[in-house]
Each structure stands twice: as C-alpha cells, then as structure tokens.
C-alpha cells in the first residue's frame, strides 16, 4: 500500500512505530501529518532512495519490512478474518492452537492453511493450565502442527493469570499458582520438555514482566527458551527480564486492528531482521532446557 501526507489507518500506524524504532521520533497516531512526512524524507535520504515523503512498496516499505518484521497473534475472538485484505506489513502470525488438557481452537487448522497460502510465517501458542503436563503435551501434539517446518515460528506456551476472574475455579487456580510457584515452574518445564522430546523443537515462553517477577521467579530455568514478551509502551523496546539473554517477539500493542481482522488481535514485532526471521527453522537446537549454553 502507498501512503503519504493525509493518509490514515493501520499502515500509517505501523509506519510511525517503525520511525520511532529507527530513530525518528514521532507520535503514533495513525495520521500521516507533516511531521511524519518530514521524518519519512529524512529516512529516505539516509537510505539513499528518493526523498519524496511517499511510502510505497518499491523502495521505502521493503527497507522497513526487512528491518522491523511485524506480525499479529490470532485466537477465537479474532474472527472474522478476510485473508484477501491481509496487510503486507504483517509478515508473521502466532495462532492459538490449544489450552489445557483438551481445549482446542476450532479454526486453528484453517487459519494456518490460509496464512501459508499468502506466505505468512506461522507459529502457534498453547494456554497453560493446571492440568497434568502429559495431558497438555498430548493435546498440543494432537493439533497436528509441524513446529519444525520451514517458515514456522514453532510453539509458545502462554503463561499468565488464569482467565475468567469471576469464576471461583479460576480464582482458586491463580491462588494455587501464587502459593506454589516452584510446582508451577516444574509443570511448565515438564510441558516444555515433553514437546521438545516429541518434536525436536524448543518451545518458547509467552508472558509479561510482572508475571515473571511475581510467579516465574526461577527464570533461569527458561533462559534457553525463546521469549515472547508482552509490554505496551508503544515506542520503546522492552527490557530483557533477568534470566533471559534476549526476547524473540515483542507484543507491543492491543489497540490497533489490521484491515483483514474483524475481531480482536494483538500486534507484535520480531526482534531481528526479516532474514533472521526466515532462518529460524534452520537454527540448531540449543542446550537442554534448564541448562546453560
């Protein structure tokens, strides 16, 4: 999509976020104003392309897309999705596949097929509950997703408060986790090890900083796992929690809606270049979980 002075919407929103990360501070408003145009011209000049302030698919977008790969995460509330309108800015998607011992996202397989058809890199995530590790591993594997296939982001385990706060069951689960952090960490480790043993692929962890501090104090146990971190200061990269060397994905916003997605989704960035994103599936298996390199 070509955008310029006067344009509005999702592509402008992404552009302004990119400019901030690339050292050109601008408010992220979704409105292509004169300040945005001036900064685009500076960026274009610095990169040796025509400095007309117009952001098109031939010159400016390819540079930004290579430097800052964007993506979304999708779950049952994201529908309906019109893949014919998928934004070129969103180069990857992480799709919910399962939860606990038996929860399944009914649209998971269809989403994966549709994303692959438009050359979007696909990952999956599983919501961790207090069900047994073996039952959760079996549920993950039954989704039929090839976590090690070329062009995949693998699997992430979603670690956060159990949802539906009005439910006494969920409230009890959260209370148990808070009172038994070591047992909870061991449950997560057992799921990680079970999936890796079965697939040969190291799963990652999705969580947010407060949850790490409050619940996952033993982060050293997860230090060799890819980290997908949720942090919402829109124009400032998140710091890396103790125990992790870096993060792989950053969920940076929950308020913008890409044009293809009619429901809810979150916006994400890959911490690296497009070439590094594409090379993920060819990376060597790191040391066993719980051990250092």
């Amino acid at each position: 999509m070509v955008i310029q002075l006067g344009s509005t919407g999702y592509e402008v929103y992404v552009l302004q976020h990119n400019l901030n990360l690339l050292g050109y501070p601008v408010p992220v408003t979704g409105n292509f104003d004169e300040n945005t145009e001036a900064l685009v011209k500076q960026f274009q000049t610095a990169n040796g392309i025509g400095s007309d302030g117009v952001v098109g698919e031939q010159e400016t977008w390819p540079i930004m897309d290579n430097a800052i790969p964007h993506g979304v995460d999708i779950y049952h509330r994201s529908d309906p999705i019109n893949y014919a309108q998928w934004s070129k800015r969103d180069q990857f998607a992480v799709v919910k596949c399962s939860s606990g011992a038996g929860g399944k996202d009914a649209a998971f397989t269809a989403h994966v097929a549709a994303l692959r058809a438009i050359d979007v890199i696909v990952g999956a995530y599983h919501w961790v509950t207090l069900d047994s590790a073996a039952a959760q591993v079996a549920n993950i594997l039954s989704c039929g997703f090839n976590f090690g296939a070329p062009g995949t982001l693998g699997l992430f385990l979603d670690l956060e408060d159990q949802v539906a706060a009005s439910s006494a069951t969920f409230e009890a689960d959260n209370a148990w986790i808070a009172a038994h952090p070591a047992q909870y960490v061991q449950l997560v480790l057992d799921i990680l090890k079970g999936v890796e043993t079965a697939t040969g692929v190291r799963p990652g962890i999705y969580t947010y900083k407060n949850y790490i501090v409050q619940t996952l104090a033993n982060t050293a146990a997860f230090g060799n796992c890819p980290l997908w971190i949720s942090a919402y200061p829109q124009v400032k990269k998140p710091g890396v929690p103790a125990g992790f060397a870096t993060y792989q994905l950053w969920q940076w916003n929950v308020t913008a809606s890409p044009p293809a997605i009619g429901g809810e989704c979150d916006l994400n960035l890959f911490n690296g270049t497009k070439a590094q994103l594409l090379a993920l599936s060819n990376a060597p298996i790191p040391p066993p979980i719980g051990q250092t390199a």
Side-chain angles (χ1 to χ4, degrees), residues 98-167:
S98 53
S99 61
K104 291 281 200 310
D105 192 305
F108 173 70
T109 301
H111 284 318
V112 170
L115 289 161
R116 290 198 184 286
I118 56 174
D119 295 323
V120 175
I121 296 170
V122 186
Y125 76 92
H126 168 85
W127 184 288
V128 172
T129 68
L130 298 185
D131 294 326
S132 76
Q136 295 195 64
V137 171
N139 191 27
I140 292 166
L141 297 178
S142 72
C143 294
F145 184 67
N146 186 350
F147 300 112
T152 64
L153 278 171
L155 172 77
F156 289 87
L157 300 184
D158 188 339
L159 309 181
E160 54 185 302
D161 287 340
Q162 304 297 296
V163 293
S166 61
S167 164

Side-chain angles (χ1 to χ4, degrees), residues 179-215:
H180 303 87
Q183 290 94 319
Y184 181 66
V185 167
Q186 188 59 54
L187 172 68
V188 175
L189 286 172
D190 289 343
I191 299 171
L192 288 165
K193 291 176 181 178
V195 173
E196 182 173 350
T197 298
T199 66
V201 177
R202 173 68 42 81
I205 296 292
Y206 166 89
T207 192
Y208 52 94
K209 287 186 179 180
N210 285 346
Y211 202 70
I212 290 175
V213 172
Q214 296 168 6
T215 307

